[in-house]
Amino acid sequence: LINSLIMSKVEMKDTLKGLTLSEIKIHGVHHVVVHPLVLLSVVDHFNRISSSTGDSRAVGVLLGSISKGVLDVSNSFAIPFEEDLKDASVWFLDHDYLETMYGMFRKVNAKERIVGWYHTGPKLRNNDISINELFRKYATNSVLIVIDTRDYTNQDQPENDLHGLPTNCYIMVEEVHDDGSPTTKTFEHLPSEVGAEEAEEVGVEHLLRDIRQKMHGTLSQRVTYQVGGLKGLTKNLKEIETYLNAVVKNELPMNHQIIYELQDVLNLLPDVNFGEFVKSYEVQTNDQAAVVYLASVVRTIISLHNLINNKIHNRQLEETKKTETTAGGDKKDEKKEKTEKDKKEEK
């Protein structure tokens, strides 16, 4: 009996280690998957709103389903929304429009239900908690997705504007204070990703064919993507550094969950001073450098070969032109001699 109790405690500890604090708080939702159709509809909604009203954000409803702790956001629709930029407590959302549209979507696909809402922030606002309370009437575990619709095609953008995925997912939780003060409602971040089914992937590929620049090759695209990823990584590392400095200076309270996650990330880093790692790294870099060297040598040899062939071809063309011109001159001389003889005979 004692052994069984010990084993059950060990199993409980293992399961709790696998779950974070937010996953225990949130009723089964620990990951969010956003489909490309949702992103396209949100961008279209934002373009229509910005063209008519200016800098106001777009707000809409998210539809999807929950399976094994994963929230699958597969569809969305826009709703009329207005707010006062000066006073965050003044805002309007059309309930009747929301209910009628949701009824129409339920007739098309009964599996899709209201799972939350979205807005094009690009960051959280002061009235998001009160708006989320309204959406909790339709979904108890309402999820908020802040979708960044800003245009990042400009190459001269500063490094602070670099980002990864355009989606940031949040869920509302009650924060308990240690000093015994009443609980407050705040948003807690959820991990998210962009996922699609096979049919959606085919459609997105067809759309990207017109967007991709045809002048750039695959190698240049890969290099630009890697440079963008490294810049995003440096941005995140700077944010972690500023947070840790603020914690050390007692400007922010210490969050043990964040510290544990950072410790796990640092533990995954390899030991650079380890002998076998250094040797294997040097061997791999030497192999890659040898391949690059051979490729450059072959490329130069081929270019020299093409240059020599081009010169030989040009010389052959020049010789043929000279022979043609000399043959043409001889023929003209013969014609002149014949005409002169004919004239003398006539005289």
Side-chain angles (χ1 to χ4, degrees), residues 169-188:
C169 302
Y170 303 93
I171 194 164
M172 193 170 66
V173 295
E174 291 186 359
E175 186 177 3
V176 180
H177 302 283
D178 297 332
D179 55 358
S181 58
T183 60
T184 57
K185 294 180 180 179
T186 61
F187 283 109
E188 189 167 316

Side-chain angles (χ1 to χ4, degrees), residues 15 33 54 56 68-70 83 89 140 146 212 230-231 241 243 265 293 295 307 313 318 320 337:
T15 53
V33 178
S56 61
K68 296 180 180 180
V70 178
E83 62 180 344
S89 61
T140 55
V146 180
R212 287 177 180 171
L230 291 174
K231 288 182 179 179
E241 184 182 3
Y243 169 74
V265 171
Y293 175 72
L307 180 61
H313 183 67
E318 288 178 358
T320 53
E337 290 178 355

Side-chain angles (χ1 to χ4, degrees), residues 69-198:
V70 178
L71 177 61
D72 194 53
V73 182
S74 57
N75 206 345
S76 65
F77 62 88
I79 53 174
F81 177 79
E82 294 180 1
E83 62 180 344
D84 190 358
L85 299 177
K86 297 180 180 180
D87 188 2
S89 61
V90 179
W91 53 274
F92 168 75
L93 191 145
D94 197 343
H95 303 262
D96 297 332
Y97 182 84
L98 191 152
E99 292 174 358
T100 53
M101 285 293 293
Y102 177 56
M104 295 170 66
F105 274 91
R106 283 294 299 272
K107 291 179 182 179
V108 177
N109 190 354
K111 293 181 180 180
E112 293 180 348
R113 297 185 179 182
I114 295 177
V115 294
W117 60 293
Y118 72 85
H119 71 78
T120 58
K123 295 181 180 179
L124 291 172
R125 302 286 183 92
N126 295 326
N127 54 3
D128 287 343
I129 293 176
S130 58
I131 298 172
N132 193 76
E133 285 291 334
L134 173 63
F135 277 95
R136 290 186 69 181
K137 296 179 181 178
Y138 305 98
T140 55
N141 299 323
S142 177
V143 175
L144 167 62
I145 300 180
V146 180
I147 300 174
D148 189 3
T149 55
R150 291 177 291 181
D151 189 8
Y152 288 92
T153 56
N154 187 10
Q155 299 295 330
D156 297 331
Q157 61 182 354
E159 293 184 358
N160 295 327
D161 291 338
L162 293 172
H163 69 299
L165 289 176
T167 58
N168 291 317
C169 302
Y170 303 93
I171 194 164
M172 193 170 66
V173 295
E174 291 186 359
E175 186 177 3
V176 180
H177 302 283
D178 297 332
D179 55 358
S181 58
T183 60
T184 57
K185 294 180 180 179
T186 61
F187 283 109
E188 189 167 316
H189 188 266
L190 284 175
S192 63
E193 65 175 350
V194 178
E197 297 178 356
E198 186 176 358

